[in-house]
């Protein structure tokens, strides 16, 4: 029974019942730890859906958004702002070299929505290819390119023709990408699917084939980006330059924001009024983006991500875990029993992980500031789990 004053009961009474709740209520959080209302300290390896890249209460991020809120909380895109220009410059500075222009939005779905629209406008074509098992968001266009979205999609028709390339099938990619295709949208490491890292050969094929057929390659890095895969963007691990890249989640470290990056050539096709977003690139979001990018650089967090990945791969194929897939701190742990059982058992050991669309895979989306002792904690918790119930 949940007490009446408990926010779980109050949310259930007042909000749409579309989210399941975990069995704790956070009171505050710091670094990688959540402190609950009943005094538990939970190690958060799920990072609030891959959002809290710098961990909780990071001083540089808190100072940046506090100072920005005091001086100018909000202004729209009808005026230019130093902090917004800085955020765009910083983002271009860490992106693949061909991506020279930014459009700021508020979420991953909004970034993808605009990327797909941009592709249709720029090519004059109305067919989009996506990859099986991919996830791109819950709005009209982003949902249309999401694998298996039919149960929740709800619109009578999709805004363009959609087909799905079987993941890692290079021959299918070559056959399907033709001169009718406006764009291929791909998560280099498929997050919701269970942190499945697509093969180098497949991504190279997508890049080459889209280029020869006049289609655009859109990299959805909403989950895989902002340092999570050991480079600022996962495409940089693969050495691929997409035509459009979308980012959100960790970009503001917890302040809602998103961005679409594109080539100079594409940017040249758009003018005043062609795109817009009231809150996109607001000053507090822009200050957060600057603080996140600066902190990743100053604290050498890309190297930390790679070191913690190596440590997890070495120490955590224990207990229920049979193998590990993914990249950096976007990892999928294949288990010998239902992932939800493992997630729940780990939570009893005060370790929070996530599930995924693969029922055997638990997901690690830890803050990039993860420390060696945190990985030790995870390894011990996995080791101490009882064998599967038969
Ligand atoms: C790869 C990917 N793209 C897009 C989205 C949608 O992002 P948002 O929930 O910010 O709209 C998500 C969210 O999980 C995602 O993982």
């Amino acid at each position: 029974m949940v007490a009446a004053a408990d926010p779980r009961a109050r949310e259930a009474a007042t909000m749409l019942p579309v989210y399941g709740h975990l069995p704790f209520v956070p009171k505050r959080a710091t670094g990688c730890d959540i402190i609950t209302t009943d005094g538990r300290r939970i190690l958060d390896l799920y990072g609030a859906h891959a959002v809290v890249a710098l961990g909780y209460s990071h001083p540089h991020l808190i100072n940046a958004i506090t100072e920005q809120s005091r001086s100018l909380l909000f202004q729209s895109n009808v005026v230019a702002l130093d902090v917004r220009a800085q955020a765009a410059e910083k983002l271009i500075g860490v992106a693949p070299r061909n991506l020279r222009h930014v459009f700021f939005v508020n979420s991953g779905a909004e970034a993808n929505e605009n990327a797909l629209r941009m592709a249709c406008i720029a090519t004059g074509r109305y067919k989009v290819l996506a990859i099986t098992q991919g996830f791109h968001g819950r709005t009209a266009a982003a949902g249309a390119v999401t694998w298996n979205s039919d149960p929740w999609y709800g619109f009578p028709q999709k805004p363009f023709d959609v087909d799905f390339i079987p993941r890692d099938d290079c021959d299918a990619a070559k056959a399907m990408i033709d001169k009718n295709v406006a764009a291929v949208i791909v998560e280099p490491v498929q997050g919701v699917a269970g942190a499945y890292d697509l093969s180098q050969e497949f991504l190279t094929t997508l890049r080459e084939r889209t280029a020869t057929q006049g289609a655009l390659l859109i990299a959805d890095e909403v989950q895989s980006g902002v340092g999570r895969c050991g480079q600022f963007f996962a495409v940089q691990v693969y050495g691929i330059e997409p035509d459009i890249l979308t980012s959100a989640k960790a970009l503001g470290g917890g302040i809602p924001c998103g961005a679409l990056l594109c080539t100079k050539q594409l940017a040249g096709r758009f003018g005043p009024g062609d795109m817009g977003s009231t809150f996109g690139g607001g000053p507090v979001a822009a200050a957060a983006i600057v603080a996140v990018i600066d902190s990743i650089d100053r604290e050498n967090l890309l190297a930390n991500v790679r070191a913690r990945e190596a440590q997890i791969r070495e120490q955590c194929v224990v207990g229920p875990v049979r193998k590990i897939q993914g990249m950096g701190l976007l990892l999928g742990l294949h288990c010998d029993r239902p992932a939800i059982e493992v997630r729940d058992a780990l939570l009893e050991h005060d370790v929070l992980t996530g599930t995924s669309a693969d029922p055997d895979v638990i997901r690690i989306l830890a803050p990039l500031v993860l420390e060696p002792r945190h990985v030790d904690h995870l390894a011990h918790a996995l080791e101490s789990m009882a064998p599967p119930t038969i």
Side-chain angles (χ1 to χ4, degrees):
M1 267 297 278
V2 181
D6 189 308
R8 283 171 287 186
R10 286 158 46 217
E11 285 198 8
T14 52
M15 293 175 60
L16 283 191
V18 295
Y19 299 111
H21 281 146
L22 291 168
F24 65 86
V25 176
K27 186 172 178 196
R28 60 188 177 84
T30 170
C32 296
D33 292 340
I34 297 171
I35 316 298
T36 68
T37 44
D38 54 2
R40 282 172 74 191
R41 178 179 286 267
I42 295 174
L43 171 62
D44 184 2
L45 301 182
Y46 197 56
H49 284 312
V51 167
V52 289
L54 305 182
Y56 296 97
S57 309
H58 190 282
H60 186 49
L61 177 60
I62 301 293
N63 283 345
I65 59 176
T66 307
E67 273 177 34
Q68 185 59 53
S69 308
R70 286 208 177 101
S71 62
L72 179 66
L73 181 72
F74 188 70
Q75 244 309 336
S76 78
N77 287 289
V78 296
V79 290
L81 297 177
D82 179 63
V83 69
R84 188 188 295 126
Q86 251 192 72
E89 287 156 5
K90 295 261 178 200
L91 200 47
I92 288 166
V94 291
R97 274 170 315 176
N98 67 321
L99 302 178
R100 310 312 303 160
H101 292 269
V102 180
F103 175 63
F104 286 118
V105 291
N106 303 287
S107 69
E110 192 188 357
N112 286 335
E113 205 75 13
N114 281 289
L116 292 161
R117 201 159 69 89
M118 192 176 214
C120 290
I121 293 170
T123 61
R125 304 174 183 178
Y126 299 99
K127 178 170 186 179
V128 176
L129 299 178
I131 315 301
T132 57
Q133 274 83 29
F135 182 90
H136 301 288
R138 294 178 178 83
T139 50
V145 290
T146 286
W147 177 247
N148 239 346
S149 64
D150 289 355
W152 54 260
Y153 189 63
F155 295 108
Q157 67 218 15
K158 308 205 162 163
F160 36 65
D161 292 337
V162 181
D163 210 346
F164 290 89
I165 305 172
R167 71 180 179 190
D168 279 344
D169 187 337
C170 295
D171 290 337
K174 283 179 199 154
M176 292 170 75
I177 304 169
D178 59 23
K179 294 205 184 301
N180 295 314
V181 172
V184 175
I185 183 164
V186 59
E187 296 166 86
V189 182
Q190 296 183 314
V192 173
Y196 180 89
D197 46 312
L198 292 170
S199 74
Q200 176 73 52
E201 196 192 350
F202 185 63
L203 279 167
T204 304
T205 302
L206 294 185
R207 178 61 289 183
E208 287 173 0
R209 186 72 186 167
T210 45
T212 60
Q213 298 304 301
L216 301 178
L217 183 64
I218 302 172
D220 176 346
E221 294 246 22
V222 168
Q223 192 162 149
S224 59
V226 193
R228 178 150 303 283
C229 290
Q231 294 291 339
F232 200 89
F233 289 114
V235 285
Q236 292 160 319
V237 181
Y238 289 93
I240 301 284
E241 291 190 343
D243 302 293
I244 303 176
L245 183 150
T246 55
S247 178
K249 284 192 184 284
L251 187 60
I255 296 295
C257 60
L260 173 165
L261 290 98
C262 70
T263 59
K264 188 171 178 203
Q265 193 194 8
L266 276 172
R269 304 284 303 263
F270 294 83
D274 287 344
M275 285 171 139
S277 177
T278 298
F279 285 112
V284 176
I289 293 171
V290 171
V292 167
I293 296 175
D294 280 349
S295 301
I296 289 175
D297 179 35
R298 278 189 213 161
E299 296 171 31
N300 215 2
L301 293 182
L302 299 182
N304 187 57
V305 166
R306 295 192 289 264
R308 297 290 73 73
E309 175 191 3
Q311 191 189 352
I312 291 172
R313 286 186 182 279
E314 192 179 318
Q315 290 178 220
C316 295
V317 186
V318 290
V321 179
R322 291 291 165 264
K323 66 170 184 168
I324 297 179
Q325 66 191 19
M327 210 181 262
L329 290 176
L330 173 46
L331 294 175
L333 276 49
H334 276 268
C335 299
D336 63 4
R337 64 199 82 169
I340 196 142
E341 275 180 32
V342 179
R343 197 268 317 261
D344 290 350
L346 284 172
L347 198 49
E348 282 171 24
H349 287 88
D350 294 329
V351 178
L352 176 62
T353 53
T355 52
S356 72
D358 184 330
D360 296 330
V361 172
I362 56 168
R363 229 175 342 153
I364 304 285
L365 297 165
L368 314 187
V369 294
L370 194 73
E371 296 173 30
R373 67 189 170 95
H374 296 134
V375 179
D376 293 340
H377 186 161
L378 170 65
H380 291 145
L382 287 167
E383 249 163 2
S384 65
M385 280 176 58
T389 44
I390 302 160

